[in-house]
Amino acid sequence: MSFKINLRTILVIVICLTGISVIYQQPLVQIVLLAVTIALLFILRPSAKARQKLLHRLSSIGRIILVIFIFQLLFRRTGNVIFEYSILRITDIGINYALASSLRFFLIILVAGLLMDYPFQDYLIALNAWKFPYEIAFIVAATIHFLPVFKSIFDNKMETLALRSISLKKLTLKQRLKAFRTLLIPVLANAIHNIQNRSISLELRAFRLHPTRTYLHENKLHTIDLIIIMVTLLLTLFTMLTLR
Amino acid sequence: MKLLQVEDLSFRYPDQEDWLFSGLNFSLSAGQIMAISGNNGSGKTSLLYLLAGIIPRHRQGEIAGNISLAGINHKNADLSQLSTIISLVMQQPEDQIFFPTVEQELAFAPENLCLSVPEIEQRIDQALRLLNIYPLRFADTDKLSFGQQKLVALAAIHTLQPAILLLDEISSGLDEVKLAAVIKLIREYAASGKAVIIADHHSRLIELAEYVINLSKT
């Protein structure tokens, strides 16, 4: 089954999933939430582009999740000791926290996959439908829009370096960090310039001329969206009452 | 009917000793096309930024002289208000494209004007047909060629329908077919009782103008 449900419905699901994930620390809760998210990803079938992005993100963030796991495992020293050697001490609370935090991180990345197929304009319309002030809605949507812009500027710089036969992959970690530091200033300057020009361009098209505006496309909730929202909210409430 | 009056206008950027241009005087009436020519760095873009109000609102510099616009106070109005009377298509199209599809990009200006859905549709249709890019209506903006991006940026200002349309190096990166579409749009825009100012190097665009200001000589 494949259907495109309203962004507002997805946002409600995302808020509920991440909300429960943040409130409850138990690894089992995180595993259930992960399972729900994976099932949703299968049902909603993100586009090939979104799937590719998601897999790329997961692979590049895998190491960070591992680092979070190790840090939580080693630095939580309270609880029943399971293993101890010299200054190294692993406790049951440490394992619990390590599992919960890395699973939560993993969940947040996966949940983002649910949002990847919705364009910038849909966020504006969705937030507007929830009576968010237009400026705030625009800033939120523009921030989401800005991230790929920033990445593309960074990629362009990397390509420029590659064309000069400089491959960062061949450098040592120390040299790579130094190169990134050098790259960061022109990338940021470029990004700021780019954003300034874009904001001028928006004003040149009567942005915020009136306190309200019209929309070419309305984004109405269908019956299926309302049912999903109701079920999600009820399940969230039930989960919170059960885990209290 | 005079839409724009420029009197004794001079400008220089901060820390510059010499004026970029000085003592400019011209006016523009409804239905007129004017061109600004000059070498690179002669101040064509700066003059357009001054007319559009980007200078001094977003870029700094010292201004002398006066710019008057019909129906609005050029000095005190904010850029959004000014844009309904005078607006600019900038040189770099990627700086002006914000939305994921061409239709959304073109709808933005009339949506801000609070137009009704049929009116927004009509303006989008008109701009797309004038520029022969109707098939691009639902295209992703990140998949457009440079020339297509330029036309979309122009169409996005066209849907705003300002009384004065400013075009900065609109011909750069356009092939002959696209350039012909732009020329058609400029002619029709002026014929509809509005005015156009073109800053460009291309002779076919300069030839459209009733008069030309050469900044290299000032």
Side-chain angles (χ1 to χ4, degrees), chain A residues 75-125:
Chain A
F75 290 100
R76 292 270 173 189
R77 301 181 71 86
T78 50
N80 300 321
V81 178
I82 291 173
F83 176 80
E84 194 164 21
Y85 179 75
S86 181
I87 55 159
L88 186 72
R89 179 193 284 175
I90 293 172
T91 66
D92 56 349
I93 291 180
I95 292 175
N96 228 23
Y97 269 100
L99 269 174
S101 357
S102 39
L103 284 172
R104 186 182 298 134
F105 206 78
F106 193 50
L107 175 83
I108 289 166
I109 305 294
L110 278 185
V111 160
L114 296 171
L115 298 167
M116 275 175 185
D117 271 335
Y118 291 87
F120 166 74
Q121 181 78 352
D122 281 16
Y123 285 90
L124 268 186
I125 296 171

Side-chain angles (χ1 to χ4, degrees), chain B residues 139-199:
Chain B
D140 291 344
T141 46
D142 60 358
K143 292 197 177 105
L144 300 176
S145 69
F146 183 78
Q148 287 171 334
Q149 282 181 10
K150 288 215 87 154
L151 295 189
V152 168
L154 171 57
I157 296 287
H158 187 276
T159 57
L160 181 68
Q161 297 274 313
I164 304 167
L165 178 63
L166 308 173
L167 304 175
D168 193 5
E169 296 289 350
I170 193 71
S171 70
S172 68
L174 295 186
D175 57 30
E176 283 302 310
V177 177
K178 290 189 179 74
L179 186 65
V182 170
I183 289 172
K184 187 179 154 208
L185 178 138
I186 294 171
R187 283 204 175 113
E188 290 199 14
Y189 205 76
S192 71
K194 297 178 190 299
V196 185
I197 300 179
I198 308 159

Side-chain angles (χ1 to χ4, degrees), chain A:
Chain A
M1 185 175 57
S2 173
F3 55 89
K4 180 120 179 163
I5 59 175
N6 194 293
L7 176 60
R8 276 184 277 166
T9 314
I10 295 288
L11 284 172
V12 169
I13 296 173
V14 165
I15 291 166
C16 289
L17 283 172
T18 47
I20 297 172
S21 170
V22 168
I23 294 169
Y24 300 101
Q25 298 290 337
Q26 298 93 317
L28 189 63
V29 175
Q30 308 296 335
I31 289 169
V32 171
L33 292 174
L34 258 178
V36 171
T37 310
I38 291 167
L40 280 171
L41 282 167
F42 270 104
I43 294 167
L44 297 172
R45 289 190 199 171
S47 65
K49 193 178 161 190
R51 273 202 308 270
Q52 210 179 351
K53 253 194 215 172
L54 187 62
L55 288 173
H56 176 73
R57 232 172 252 189
L58 281 174
S59 66
S60 57
I61 229 131
R63 267 183 251 172
I64 298 174
I65 294 177
L66 188 68
V67 170
I68 290 174
F69 182 83
I70 294 169
F71 263 73
Q72 291 284 354
L73 196 66
L74 296 181
F75 290 100
R76 292 270 173 189
R77 301 181 71 86
T78 50
N80 300 321
V81 178
I82 291 173
F83 176 80
E84 194 164 21
Y85 179 75
S86 181
I87 55 159
L88 186 72
R89 179 193 284 175
I90 293 172
T91 66
D92 56 349
I93 291 180
I95 292 175
N96 228 23
Y97 269 100
L99 269 174
S101 357
S102 39
L103 284 172
R104 186 182 298 134
F105 206 78
F106 193 50
L107 175 83
I108 289 166
I109 305 294
L110 278 185
V111 160
L114 296 171
L115 298 167
M116 275 175 185
D117 271 335
Y118 291 87
F120 166 74
Q121 181 78 352
D122 281 16
Y123 285 90
L124 268 186
I125 296 171
L127 295 172
N128 178 64
W130 278 337
K131 308 288 175 214
F132 267 75
Y134 181 60
E135 282 80 3
I136 293 175
F138 201 89
I139 288 166
V140 171
T143 308
I144 293 166
H145 175 80
F146 174 66
L147 295 173
V149 171
F150 186 78
K151 188 180 176 294
S152 97
I153 295 170
F154 197 80
D155 289 346
N156 282 344
K157 295 282 176 202
M158 297 292 275
E159 276 168 27
T160 313
L161 284 180
L163 286 170
R164 292 177 194 172
S165 308
I166 302 167
S167 172
L168 290 188
K169 282 178 186 164
K170 289 179 189 165
L171 302 178
T172 62
L173 183 67
K174 195 177 169 190
Q175 287 171 321
R176 223 187 277 186
L177 283 174
K178 200 175 167 190
F180 276 127
R181 204 179 57 198
T182 317
L183 272 178
L184 200 63
I185 293 167
V187 167
L188 272 177
N190 225 324
I192 290 167
H193 180 71
N194 189 298
I195 293 297
Q196 272 177 341
N197 279 344
R198 278 169 196 249
S199 70
I200 291 171
S201 151
L202 294 177
E203 285 188 59
L204 287 171
R205 286 186 279 163
F207 178 56
R208 293 194 309 174
L209 181 67
H210 302 293
T212 56
R213 51 170 279 181
T214 50
Y215 288 89
L216 176 60
H217 296 295
E218 269 191 83
N219 197 348
K220 281 186 180 158
L221 288 174
H222 298 287
T223 317
I224 182 82
D225 291 299
L226 293 169
I227 293 169
I228 296 171
I229 289 174
M230 283 304 292
V231 170
T232 308
L233 291 175
L234 284 172
L235 279 175
T236 306
L237 192 68
F238 174 76
T239 311
M240 291 174 89
L241 289 172
T242 315
L243 294 175
R244 199 158 50 123

